[in-house]
Amino acid sequence: ATPRKKARRDDDVPSMAAASRVSGGAEGGATALDRLEGGTSRPLELPPLPEPDRRTMRSEAKCGLTNVLLIIAIIVGLAHALPLNRRVGSLPEAAYLTCFVLIHGCAVLAVICLERVLRADPGVVRRSDKTCLPVPEPVRTRLAANAPLDDIKNIYIEDTDDETGAASGGDRGGGAADAASGAGAAKRRRTKHRGASYCVRCCVWRPQGSHHCSTCQRCVTHFDHHCSFYGRCIAGTWRSGNMPFFVALIALGYLAFFTLLVFLVWALVNGADGRHR
């Protein structure tokens, strides 16, 4: 048996030997890769992850960052200038302090949300033993032949007999015990990858609702869209990914705008009443 390898970072590529050990369903015997290559143990590696379009992402992020900070500066500036401008109107001190706190609070939270939208993990499906294994049979065959995966479509559970295309003991001989072991392994794989699909560009199993972004070149769970304003994928649920920060950033913009509008109207009305008196 091959000794267990040391832990690697998520983006490191797991070996095909490890893939075949898991998908073969037998310990101490010949691996699925050995059978595929006629008994050889030549290690095969998954292809490198595709390169993101970093130039586009940086350009979009700069645009979004500049515009958001400019909007924040304008709203904060108006909060300072208009309510206290005697030619426009006036506010009671308590009202102005309330406006000041609300606007500046929104500005601080907006900067935090902006940083999270740009830097938080939206839910990228990273390579690991859990996401890469078992390798589907069509992919393993191509990699064994050093053939590219460009012309293979994504693989879905229903596309293969045992939901993964991985080798099982029952269809390669070995008697009733191997058949039972293969059936059990196939059942476990069905449970593990139920509703999943295999991305042939990232070479990972991804859960239902995931999508491969053509700009970021990564598979993202709970994908919503790639935002060309921030140069990032927007994905996640109300408690995961960067979606909560994206929604909060938009909500804070509306809150700050209407807060400023209410206090500005109040200042105008209050100033007009003072002049009439």
Side-chain angles (χ1 to χ4, degrees):
T2 306
R4 183 181 297 274
K5 294 186 178 181
K6 294 182 179 179
R8 298 181 294 262
R9 294 182 295 107
D10 283 343
D11 286 338
D12 290 345
V13 181
S15 67
M16 284 296 296
S20 58
R21 280 201 304 274
V22 173
S23 60
E27 295 183 2
T31 64
L33 182 60
D34 291 337
R35 290 192 292 269
L36 183 64
E37 295 187 302
T40 65
S41 57
R42 178 171 60 89
L44 294 177
E45 300 291 335
L46 296 177
L49 289 166
E51 283 295 321
D53 188 351
R54 301 189 188 279
R55 174 178 292 183
T56 299
M57 293 172 65
R58 282 195 294 264
S59 175
E60 293 172 345
K62 288 178 182 178
C63 175
L65 181 63
T66 302
N67 282 278
V68 170
L69 293 180
L70 181 61
I71 292 171
I72 291 174
I74 291 174
I75 292 179
V76 171
L78 290 175
H80 278 272
L82 294 181
L84 294 183
N85 192 327
R86 299 297 178 180
R87 290 174 296 180
V88 176
S90 62
L91 277 176
E93 183 177 355
Y96 172 69
L97 288 176
T98 303
C99 175
F100 183 88
V101 170
L102 287 175
I103 293 296
H104 284 76
C106 287
V108 171
L109 291 176
V111 171
I112 294 174
C113 289
L114 177 62
E115 188 273 339
R116 290 288 80 199
V117 167
L118 295 176
R119 302 192 61 182
D121 180 11
V124 174
V125 182
R126 304 187 185 279
R127 285 182 175 178
S128 66
D129 289 346
K130 181 179 179 180
T131 59
C132 290
L133 305 180
V135 180
E137 184 69 28
V139 176
R140 191 165 57 236
T141 302
R142 286 296 187 94
L143 293 176
N146 290 324
L149 304 177
D150 299 340
D151 56 341
I152 300 181
K153 294 183 179 180
N154 290 337
I155 298 171
Y156 295 86
I157 292 295
E158 59 270 15
D159 290 343
T160 56
D161 292 338
D162 66 353
E163 280 72 26
T164 62
S168 61
D171 58 358
R172 296 185 182 271
D178 285 346
S181 174
K187 183 177 180 180
R188 288 192 296 272
R189 288 193 292 270
R190 282 196 297 270
T191 302
K192 175 183 176 182
H193 294 303
R194 182 171 295 155
S197 61
Y198 187 87
C199 176
V200 296
R201 288 167 286 187
C202 294
C203 293
V204 293
W205 285 102
R206 55 192 190 178
Q208 197 170 22
S210 303
H211 177 75
H212 183 93
C213 176
S214 60
T215 302
C216 300
Q217 290 296 337
R218 294 293 184 271
C219 287
V220 181
T221 59
H222 300 290
F223 182 85
D224 187 79
H225 68 285
H226 176 88
C227 183
S228 58
F229 192 72
Y230 297 114
R232 296 292 185 273
C233 288
I234 305 299
T237 63
W238 65 273
R239 59 179 181 178
S240 67
N242 59 3
M243 176 64 78
F245 303 104
F246 177 77
V247 174
L249 184 58
I250 296 175
L252 287 168
Y254 280 108
L255 177 60
F257 173 77
F258 285 111
T259 298
L260 181 62
L261 183 62
V262 167
F263 281 96
L264 177 58
V265 171
W266 188 0
L268 291 172
V269 172
N270 194 52
D273 290 344
R275 286 192 295 269
H276 285 310
R277 290 174 189 170

